[in-house]
Amino acid sequence: MRALAGYAVLGCVIFGLSILIADWIVPDHDWIADTISDLGAGKYEYIVDIGIYAFSASLIAIALLAAHHHLGGTGWSAGLVAFAILGLIVFLVGARNEYGDSDQDGVVIHRYLVYALGLLMAAAPALMAHGARQVSPAHGRALIVLSVLWCLSAPVFFFLPTSVDGLYERALGLIAFAVVGTLAHLFYAVARDQ
């Protein structure tokens, strides 16, 4: 449990570093205006792809931890399934290399993946909050706050001008990292206490 919790955080760090490195290396990139998807296309796509796959594995690690230390109830079960599906969605975003760039080769699913990611990232922490509260009321509250914050802020992304949507997307990423970090800390504490 400690190893998986540690990796869940490490995957977030790797993703964050991959974005910073790509921001620096990719020519003519504006980190305020250009989204992470823009970084994931072109000659240097492998840099961001490494981070995307690392974060995908972080989400799977949370799902494995939640299944291993099941805190009961259908909400907890639904939440752990949501994290497993989130891991798959994030992996597909990296593997498909579509990035919503009007690519017409085959079936373009990037937009649908983004919508599903948005909905599941709102639902998963809320679904697990009750179970988390049984171990730590503070963690349960944090998951609710993060879920509400995501619900209020994520839809705004679709209405932003392209001059600032890159910066805003990175802020949303920090919320997702906070969700993973909160649960990783909860499971690490459980493992330590056992």
Side-chain angles (χ1 to χ4, degrees):
M1 286 182 70
R2 289 178 183 177
L4 283 172
Y7 176 77
V9 173
L10 179 62
C12 295
V13 172
I14 292 170
F15 192 17
L17 287 175
S18 75
I19 292 167
L20 291 175
I21 291 168
D23 278 338
W24 182 65
I25 290 177
V26 173
D28 301 321
H29 178 74
D30 181 350
W31 64 275
I32 296 175
D34 296 335
T35 64
I36 296 167
S37 296
D38 295 326
L39 282 177
K43 179 180 177 182
Y44 299 101
E45 67 183 19
Y46 66 91
I47 298 171
V48 173
D49 283 349
I50 289 169
I52 288 173
Y53 297 145
F55 184 57
S56 170
S58 290
L59 296 165
I60 297 295
I62 293 297
L64 287 171
L65 284 162
H68 177 73
H69 192 79
H70 201 288
L71 292 173
T74 56
W76 187 266
S77 295
L80 76 87
V81 170
F83 273 103
I85 294 171
L86 277 167
L88 175 61
I89 289 170
V90 170
F91 178 84
L92 287 173
V93 166
R96 293 282 295 186
N97 283 332
E98 289 173 355
Y99 303 117
D101 57 0
S102 301
D103 181 10
Q104 297 301 319
D105 296 335
V107 179
V108 179
I109 61 172
H110 180 81
R111 178 174 296 163
Y112 305 110
L113 293 174
V114 169
Y115 291 154
L117 187 150
L119 291 172
L120 288 172
M121 190 55 73
L127 288 167
M128 300 185 90
H130 178 72
R133 197 176 297 122
Q134 295 176 34
V135 175
S136 166
H139 285 82
R141 284 192 300 271
L143 290 173
I144 290 295
V145 168
L146 290 168
S147 179
V148 170
L149 184 59
W150 181 271
C151 288
L152 294 175
S153 57
V156 175
F157 175 80
F158 296 103
F159 302 100
L160 289 175
T162 57
S163 60
V164 296
D165 62 351
L167 178 62
Y168 195 85
E169 184 184 48
R170 286 159 175 76
L172 290 175
L174 292 177
I175 299 173
F177 288 174
V179 170
V180 171
T182 299
L183 285 164
H185 185 266
L186 174 73
F187 290 122
Y188 187 87
V190 167
R192 181 195 60 215
D193 293 344
Q194 290 179 347

